[in-house]
Amino acid sequence: MSGIKDHVNFLGYPLPPGVSLLVKSLKKYDISVFERLVTVAVKMSSDTNPTNDKFSNLTKGITQEAINHIYPGVCSIIRKAMRTPKHLLKKNVFENDLNEIMLPTSFHAPLSTALFGDARPLLEDNAHEQRPHVATLSKLRWRVDVAISNASLNRVMEPTILITITTDKGEEHTLEVSKEKFHQLRYSVLEVLNYMQQLEKRSIFQVET
Amino acid sequence: MSNMSESLFTETPRFSKGVQLINELDIDRFPKLLTRILQNLHNKAEPAFNEAEQVKLGPALSLTSSELVLVIETLTFICQQAAYHATKPGILMTELEAVAINSDKCKVICEGWSAHGKPTIEKLKKHSFAPKQLQSVEWHLNLKLAQDSKSNLKEPNAIFQLNVENNDNDGVPSEPVLLEFNHSQLFNLYNKLEVIQSQLDSLS
């Protein structure tokens, strides 16, 4: 009776087409070509603005045929490995999975170094950057003013706050906030923080899926 | 020694004419007229009485339309000056008598001022013409489970909507400001707000 495996290959079934092609064509190529293309793939995936020109520069001297056979597969492997949470895909599991898809052992090293070495944080950062999101706050500058008098009143003595919000999408908003609205804002922020903390304490957070 | 330099009201000919007309007004309708003017003092954009009301009011007070305008203007001016100097009712009474307004009308004005003066001044204090003002804050809290580049996430994510009132081009509503925060970003924002709050506290 064949055992039902607990573990599912991180690449999934069926294999992404690029990966099947990679495995089939790899015998024709030298390890150095493979290493270079792995480096290219890591560079392009860590780049916030990958362009065709950058790609052409990096792949100078490699035949188009080699690129076609190797590059898509390598990209798929990197992307799928990044997607799986770290605790589920440790280095030995990764290498076992590569063996399972019959990638020759000599070709494991460049991929392992890319995914479990220094380049990993850069890949993670870029994956985080590229996610779809609403603008986040990158800078908040503020000042507190006290209006001493205005055209209608000789003595006002009313504090107001002026804030400039700069978002990571480059928008800039300057708003005036009265004391009451500022308290509303502060209260809302505190309320949400409270909810977040409560949420993180709950049991689903303690269990790592 | 004349007290003119300390007086709230400079007696221009137009002002004196206004005072004269006010003195001639029927005392019964006077309080309501005054109350309306006081309540509208902070609202510079709209006059206390719109066109239709002015048309009806003129004959009711036995005034021509230009006389009515003058009466409303004079009363508005009196209220504005009282607000500007944050005059107490007692002093206001003295000032009004000094410009020869009948004592029964003075009494009504001072009573109106005692009742409505403070709220009017408060509203005028809050008045600001900054181009964009924060109106309200709305939010919702999500739990991020996955994205295309990462599976198995468990990250709380809050989206805040800051509704902004646009004072610049009336009629063009400002778009609300949308901001996303995870736990640490929200905590940073909270710290910044605390610094601002401590500044506000040190003022009072």
Side-chain angles (χ1 to χ4, degrees):
Chain A
M1 189 161 57
S2 70
I4 300 173
K5 287 196 304 200
D6 257 343
H7 169 71
V8 173
N9 193 315
F10 80 92
L11 287 165
Y13 306 110
L15 280 183
V19 178
S20 326
L21 183 60
L22 171 71
V23 171
K24 268 188 270 186
S25 343
L26 216 42
K27 1 181 187 336
K28 291 191 257 179
Y29 298 104
D30 194 35
I31 182 100
S32 57
V33 176
F34 185 72
E35 275 175 355
R36 259 196 83 186
L37 281 170
V38 170
T39 322
V40 172
V42 170
K43 280 224 172 71
M44 296 300 280
S45 303
S46 319
D47 198 339
T48 44
N49 190 17
T51 60
N52 283 337
D53 291 332
K54 285 185 191 171
F55 183 70
S56 318
N57 280 342
L58 289 168
T59 53
K60 276 211 174 81
I62 307 179
T63 61
Q64 189 60 42
E65 198 197 355
I67 297 174
N68 289 347
H69 284 163
I70 301 180
Y71 192 71
V74 166
C75 277
S76 291
I77 292 177
I78 291 181
R79 204 177 308 132
K80 291 266 177 183
M82 286 291 298
R83 194 156 190 277
T84 326
K86 274 195 186 148
H87 62 274
L88 283 180
L89 191 68
K90 302 218 171 40
K91 195 162 170 181
N92 53 345
V93 178
F94 177 67
E95 305 221 336
N96 282 343
D97 283 349
L98 289 183
N99 278 332
E100 199 185 314
I101 61 165
M102 315 234 244
L103 193 75
T105 324
S106 46
F107 288 85
H108 290 190
L111 289 169
S112 286
T113 3
L115 287 166
F116 299 98
D118 297 330
R120 181 65 183 248
L122 292 169
L123 288 168
E124 296 268 1
D125 283 343
N126 199 33
H128 185 73
E129 286 287 304
Q130 301 293 348
R131 77 191 195 286
H133 65 281
V134 179
T136 60
L137 186 68
S138 71
K139 208 161 47 161
L140 181 88
R141 300 184 58 235
W142 57 270
R143 71 176 215 211
V144 174
D145 291 324
V146 178
I148 298 180
S149 69
N150 64 26
S152 341
L153 295 175
N154 197 18
R155 199 181 142 81
V156 179
M157 298 304 180
E158 188 69 21
T160 48
I161 301 146
L162 202 68
I163 56 173
T164 301
I165 294 172
T166 317
T167 64
D168 66 343
K169 300 210 173 177
E171 303 157 357
E172 217 181 77
H173 305 274
T174 305
L175 303 174
E176 190 189 86
V177 184
S178 69
K179 226 166 52 157
E180 292 76 25
K181 302 289 181 213
F182 178 72
H183 290 141
Q184 260 183 31
L185 176 65
R186 205 164 138 251
Y187 178 75
S188 311
V189 168
L190 213 51
E191 202 180 357
V192 179
L193 262 178
N194 197 16
Y195 280 130
M196 275 192 183
Q197 280 178 340
Q198 282 179 20
L199 199 58
E200 284 173 353
K201 279 201 194 124
R202 284 170 153 215
S203 52
I204 53 161
F205 271 85
Q206 314 302 355
V207 176
E208 292 218 5
T209 51
Chain B
M1 193 145 37
S2 86
N3 279 5
M4 279 306 278
S5 55
E6 291 172 19
S7 163
L8 277 180
F9 313 108
T10 41
E11 292 190 65
T12 63
R14 197 167 154 79
F15 183 75
S16 304
K17 182 94 179 31
V19 166
Q20 197 189 341
L21 287 169
I22 288 173
N23 282 337
E24 287 165 13
L25 278 178
D26 191 4
I27 192 70
D28 297 324
R29 297 179 187 253
F30 191 61
K32 279 205 190 129
L33 181 71
L34 187 69
T35 314
R36 183 70 105 86
I37 290 179
L38 271 172
Q39 282 169 343
N40 241 55
L41 204 62
H42 67 283
N43 198 349
K44 308 232 170 154
E46 291 160 27
F49 299 97
N50 60 32
E51 296 278 337
E53 290 172 326
Q54 282 191 13
V55 163
K56 278 190 273 181
L57 206 52
L61 295 172
S62 348
L63 295 170
T64 66
S65 60
S66 59
E67 288 176 339
L68 178 66
V69 168
L70 182 57
V71 165
I72 295 177
E73 262 181 32
T74 316
L75 282 173
T76 313
F77 177 67
I78 291 174
C79 298
Q80 280 171 346
Q81 285 295 92
Y84 186 80
H85 294 280
T87 322
K88 293 198 173 53
I91 303 186
L92 183 62
M93 183 74 136
T94 328
E95 292 287 341
L96 290 172
E97 285 174 348
V99 288
I101 298 187
N102 289 350
S103 46
D104 54 352
K105 304 266 172 18
C106 287
K107 220 167 125 222
V108 174
I109 295 178
C110 289
E111 278 167 9
W113 183 245
S114 313
H116 300 284
K118 262 217 161 45
T120 308
I121 292 184
E122 288 300 308
K123 276 190 227 165
L124 282 171
K125 273 190 190 176
K126 307 277 179 220
H127 190 260
S128 137
F129 42 77
K132 286 194 197 153
Q133 287 183 296
L134 182 65
Q135 276 294 96
S136 58
V137 177
E138 288 165 26
W139 55 266
H140 76 244
L141 179 62
N142 291 328
L143 184 63
K144 199 156 71 161
L145 292 179
Q147 59 193 50
D148 61 350
S149 42
K150 275 257 160 245
S151 65
N152 296 77
L153 293 168
K154 259 192 306 258
E155 211 182 279
N157 199 30
I159 299 189
F160 275 76
Q161 177 169 307
L162 305 176
N163 295 320
V164 171
E165 187 190 316
N166 203 348
N167 281 342
D168 254 350
N169 319 321
D170 286 7
V172 176
S174 199
E175 280 171 22
V177 179
L178 281 170
L179 294 170
E180 188 183 284
F181 299 93
N182 64 19
H183 196 160
S184 59
Q185 288 167 334
L186 197 60
F187 192 64
N188 288 339
L189 176 66
Y190 169 68
N191 285 335
K192 290 207 171 94
L193 293 181
E194 280 299 293
V195 175
I196 300 178
Q197 181 63 37
S198 63
Q199 281 295 320
L200 284 179
D201 290 338
S202 70
L203 280 177
S204 44

